Amino acid sequence: MLYPQANPHRQMLDLSGFWDFCFDPDETLTATELTSAQMQPIAVPGSWNEQFADHRDYTGTAWYRTGFRLPWGWRGQRIYLRFNAVSYVCEVWLNGMRLGAHEGGHLPFAFDVTDHVKDNGNVLVARVDGHLLPDRVPPGGMGAHPEASFNRAGYPDTTYDFFPYTGIHRPVILYTEPEHAIKDITVTTDIEGTTGIVKIKVTRSQPTEGTSLTVTLRHPADGYRKLGDAVIEGETAYVAMHVPDAHLWSPQEPNLYELTVGLAQPMSVLDSYTLQIGIRTIAVKDEQLLLNGEPVKLVGFGRHEDFPVVGKGLLPALIVKDYALMDWMGANSFRTSHYPYSEQMMDMADRLGFMVIDETPAVGLFYLSGDDPGLAKRNALCQQMLREMIDRDKNHPSVIMWSLANEPHSARLEARAAYERDMTVMDNPSKPQAVNTFRELAALARELDPSRPITLVSHEGAIEEAFAFVDVVCLNRYFGWYTQSGQIDRAIALLEREIDLIHEMYPKPFILTEFGADTLPGHHAQPPEMFSEEWQAEYLVRQIELTDAKPWVVGQHIWNMCDFKTSQGTLRVNGMNYKGVFTRDRRPKLAAHRVRALWNPEG
């Protein structure tokens, strides 16, 4: 999962641009029978739902095609093709040869194409299947099933509250690796006094006698620090570096070191790879979240990759804009709700000092009381996606926590009814299938990365038994909006009662990961009323003040940073969720100014 890069030993070519494209609702086309007459231009990356108005709600099958020449000098190296993200299932052919397929819409996958690529006239074809099905992650196609969708029979038919954008959403890259290549690097850091400890695991493609490993660290204030050459035995090498007077990574000072790993033989350099790392620790102790040994509080947002015209497609200017808005607000963190964001977004978080809760695509999971033939596949996909996310993002200092899922429908219906009535917690309130799912996911996350805390973001409250398996408790709650509508005083009292109850049952650090109110831009009311900008501002400020008064509450993430597109339904005017403190095109509402006064009073 190392991101492709160009250096003296590696090359890369971004294939993004205008591709040929056609819809295939009847699924009658094949990779070798596509004709130019069938196809039209499409921009890659980008969602097809935004580019073609007459197919806005289409989530079926479509075909992409492009051509390329092999750049000069690439022969003699291993050549790979990498898709950074395609939603949802992607099957790929090169020059008529099927390369393989990948399921999951938000993480990268690659193929070795060395034996299939030509010098000229290469034809690359991708078949994208976006069907919303119960055995996919996130799932869909459940209608108004009471155990899967909050009885919101929206269109398109999702189990989650954001639009199911489909297509090639991030760049497609052709790249090379040398014959003797660095295949993976894992970096973990620790601190002893003022000394930073950097532990590095390097995996190479094949054992070669007499190969040495060279590691250098560079910080702009210090110049180079070099560890002498170490001989590698086998495919994996471990190196530990001590960095005196280390420049630590934090939101206040997002110090980054340039780490370069090289493979060499006595007369030649075989390969090298450079990445930015940060020296920092993240830990949970008692009821606090500690960054570099000091308590830290997260203030920020849940977000979405969503913008007009591109949909979920990568748009670098939007990344810069959103970070500037978060900085203006005084935010120091966000959650990648409800899927891993682009690698470019994560790189910028490292650079600018934002702390990130990195979340898998496991949103809207459900557990049926009766026969559920899709459960085994969903669980396998959840584990696959967790592995892929950690493998991709493990070296980012900005990533301080892994989130296993968002709002699983894990509670038994009778337990949920009792809890919603008067916060009665019945015995064994969660479904056994859900408990088993998250016990296994939590164990896998700790096996893959014991250096970071894990969490689960739930809407079930104190009846979420999976809170027992995680380090940090995260709750989404909308008292005063979906329930107790328009009654802020009652909502605040109920929220405080629930937070205290959860803390009594699970005395761990707590984050209110979603709280918000739909707000129509420009709608004003005095006294405040629902959907007005004044209501949203008061609603958010009151909840921020409540959580600020609880010492074990280590974070508050407003839902949402910006308005975003959803499926159509009676709860979603214009097919939009209007809970953003900014509009979809990034204009501030009144709440943005009110919250900024709390988070960034001197900004």
Side-chain angles (χ1 to χ4, degrees):
M1 287 296 179
L2 294 178
Y3 199 87
Q5 65 180 224
N7 63 33
H9 313 285
R10 297 166 174 251
Q11 289 93 8
M12 59 180 289
L13 175 67
D14 191 340
L15 299 181
S16 302
F18 297 110
W19 293 33
D20 298 327
F21 176 83
C22 66
F23 295 103
D24 186 15
D26 299 325
E27 300 189 358
T28 58
L29 302 178
T30 68
T32 57
E33 296 177 353
L34 300 173
T35 66
S36 298
Q38 296 169 311
M39 310 196 87
Q40 59 186 318
I42 191 171
V44 171
S47 302
W48 73 51
N49 316 83
E50 283 278 345
Q51 296 184 59
F52 303 107
D54 54 343
H55 284 78
R56 180 195 62 196
D57 300 315
Y58 179 76
T59 57
T61 299
W63 293 85
Y64 288 78
R65 185 180 68 185
T66 193
F68 62 90
R69 293 181 176 182
L70 193 66
W72 178 84
W74 283 36
R75 285 301 179 190
Q77 301 186 82
R78 304 303 301 180
I79 302 173
Y80 296 86
L81 178 68
R82 188 187 207 253
F83 289 78
N84 285 358
V86 182
S87 187
Y88 168 78
V89 174
C90 183
E91 192 172 7
V92 182
W93 290 259
L94 180 61
N95 298 325
M97 177 65 66
R98 183 182 182 276
L99 302 178
H102 178 267
E103 180 167 354
H106 304 91
L107 289 158
F109 55 97
F111 305 103
D112 186 336
V113 298
T114 308
D115 297 333
H116 309 301
V117 69
K118 303 184 297 185
D119 290 342
N120 295 295
N122 292 285
V123 178
L124 174 61
V125 174
R127 180 183 186 269
V128 179
D129 173 3
H131 285 95
L132 303 173
L133 299 175
D135 64 352
R136 294 185 168 179
V137 176
M142 293 299 292
H145 197 293
E147 294 183 290
S149 63
F150 299 118
N151 293 307
R152 285 193 297 106
Y155 178 72
D157 183 9
T158 65
T159 61
Y160 46 88
D161 189 27
F162 56 93
F163 195 84
Y165 285 118
T166 317
I168 301 177
H169 286 145
R170 296 172 192 159
V172 181
I173 300 174
L174 194 70
Y175 68 99
T176 70
E177 289 180 357
E179 180 181 358
H180 303 284
I182 297 166
K183 298 299 293 185
D184 190 39
I185 301 172
T186 302
V187 179
T188 56
T189 63
D190 204 346
I191 304 169
E192 290 184 358
T194 61
T195 298
I197 300 173
V198 181
K199 297 180 180 179
I200 305 161
K201 176 185 175 183
V202 180
T203 304
R204 60 175 174 166
S205 57
Q206 55 183 300
T208 306
E209 291 186 6
T211 304
S212 62
L213 177 72
T214 301
V215 179
T216 61
L217 273 180
R218 186 177 68 86
H219 187 276
D222 297 339
Y224 283 95
R225 300 174 185 262
K226 180 176 179 180
L227 181 76
D229 295 342
V231 176
I232 308 176
E233 296 181 0
E235 296 183 356
T236 304
Y238 297 87
V239 178
M241 303 183 69
H242 287 72
V243 185
D245 300 318
H247 302 277
L248 304 183
W249 186 95
S250 70
Q252 296 75 29
E253 296 184 60
N255 288 293
L256 294 176
Y257 285 81
E258 183 181 271
L259 172 69
T260 299
V261 177
L263 285 179
Q265 289 184 323
M267 301 300 293
S268 63
V269 177
L270 302 176
D271 191 18
S272 68
Y273 192 90
T274 299
L275 69 158
Q276 303 290 316
I277 69 166
I279 299 174
R280 62 104 182 94
T281 61
I282 187 75
V284 167
K285 184 177 180 181
D286 299 325
E287 297 174 354
Q288 296 296 312
L289 181 65
L290 305 180
L291 178 69
N292 300 331
E294 298 295 330
V296 65
K297 183 173 182 177
L298 310 184
V299 295
F301 299 96
R303 303 178 61 258
H304 268 299
E305 290 182 328
D306 174 274
F307 199 68
V309 181
V310 298
K312 202 178 286 294
L314 177 71
L315 187 59
L318 183 63
I319 291 175
V320 173
K321 178 68 172 180
D322 282 357
Y323 274 114
L325 291 177
M326 286 191 288
D327 182 66
W328 176 79
M329 289 284 296
N332 63 11
S333 58
F334 61 89
R335 175 168 58 112
T336 68
S337 45
H338 303 295
Y339 38 82
Y341 291 173
S342 71
E343 285 150 295
Q344 291 77 8
M345 188 75 184
M346 307 305 287
D347 289 341
M348 195 66 74
D350 295 340
R351 180 177 176 179
L352 298 179
F354 281 81
M355 296 174 287
V356 180
I357 300 175
D358 206 357
E359 188 162 273
T360 75
V363 55
L365 297 179
F366 58 87
Y367 303 88
L368 302 184
S369 299
D371 184 48
D372 185 355
L375 178 61
K377 184 187 174 189
R378 288 197 305 274
N379 283 347
L381 284 169
C382 286
Q383 294 195 18
Q384 168 200 315
M385 293 171 182
L386 179 62
R387 288 181 182 274
E388 291 175 347
M389 180 180 75
I390 292 178
D391 195 24
R392 192 197 76 167
D393 293 343
K394 61 191 175 185
N395 294 326
H396 288 286
S398 58
V399 176
I400 63 166
M401 201 179 308
W402 305 116
S403 173
L404 305 178
N406 178 77
E407 294 192 357
H409 306 278
S410 54
R412 294 186 291 116
L413 292 182
E414 60 271 25
R416 183 181 298 161
Y419 187 71
E420 291 177 350
R421 183 176 61 251
D422 58 7
M423 290 192 185
T424 295
V425 180
M426 299 174 61
D427 291 337
N428 303 313
S430 293
K431 297 177 182 178
Q433 313 97 296
V435 174
N436 291 336
T437 294
F438 292 110
R439 180 188 292 110
E440 293 177 0
L441 283 174
L444 178 60
R446 290 197 168 92
E447 174 190 340
L448 296 172
D449 179 19
S451 72
R452 290 178 174 88
I454 59 173
T455 190
L456 168 74
V457 179
S458 179
H459 66 298
E460 303 284 19
I463 58 174
E464 179 58 79
E465 291 185 60
F467 282 156
F469 309 135
V470 300
D471 304 297
V472 178
V473 172
C474 288
L475 177 71
N476 298 343
R477 188 56 76 222
Y478 294 93
F479 294 143
W481 189 253
Y482 296 117
T483 60
Q484 300 81 43
S485 300
Q487 305 170 71
I488 290 183
D489 290 340
R490 185 181 175 199
I492 295 299
L494 197 59
L495 179 62
E496 181 170 26
R497 179 185 170 193
E498 183 175 36
I499 290 176
D500 290 345
L501 174 61
I502 294 173
H503 178 249
E504 179 182 346
M505 295 182 64
Y506 300 100
K508 304 177 180 184
F510 176 98
I511 301 173
L512 190 61
T513 35
E514 289 187 23
F515 58 105
D518 283 86
T519 304
L520 298 177
H523 174 51
H524 297 278
Q526 178 56 39
E529 64 182 5
M530 294 177 67
F531 292 99
S532 70
E533 294 196 25
E534 288 77 11
W535 169 270
Q536 181 190 40
E538 182 175 349
Y539 182 85
L540 295 180
V541 167
R542 291 283 300 277
Q543 291 181 84
I544 289 172
E545 291 173 344
L546 170 64
T547 56
D548 281 344
K550 305 287 183 181
W552 65 87
V553 177
V554 300
Q556 49 193 228
H557 280 174
I558 292 171
W559 189 261
N560 191 281
M561 179 177 168
C562 303
D563 297 340
F564 58 92
K565 190 72 176 166
T566 70
S567 296
Q568 299 176 65
T570 55
L571 293 180
R572 296 290 170 251
V573 178
N574 297 330
M576 291 283 294
N577 188 310
Y578 284 107
K579 292 188 181 67
V581 300
F582 296 92
T583 62
R584 196 181 185 211
D585 59 356
R586 275 48 181 178
R587 291 175 291 117
K589 301 177 187 176
L590 175 63
H593 296 278
R594 289 285 302 278
V595 173
R596 180 175 184 261
L598 297 176
W599 287 354
N600 192 21
E602 299 178 359

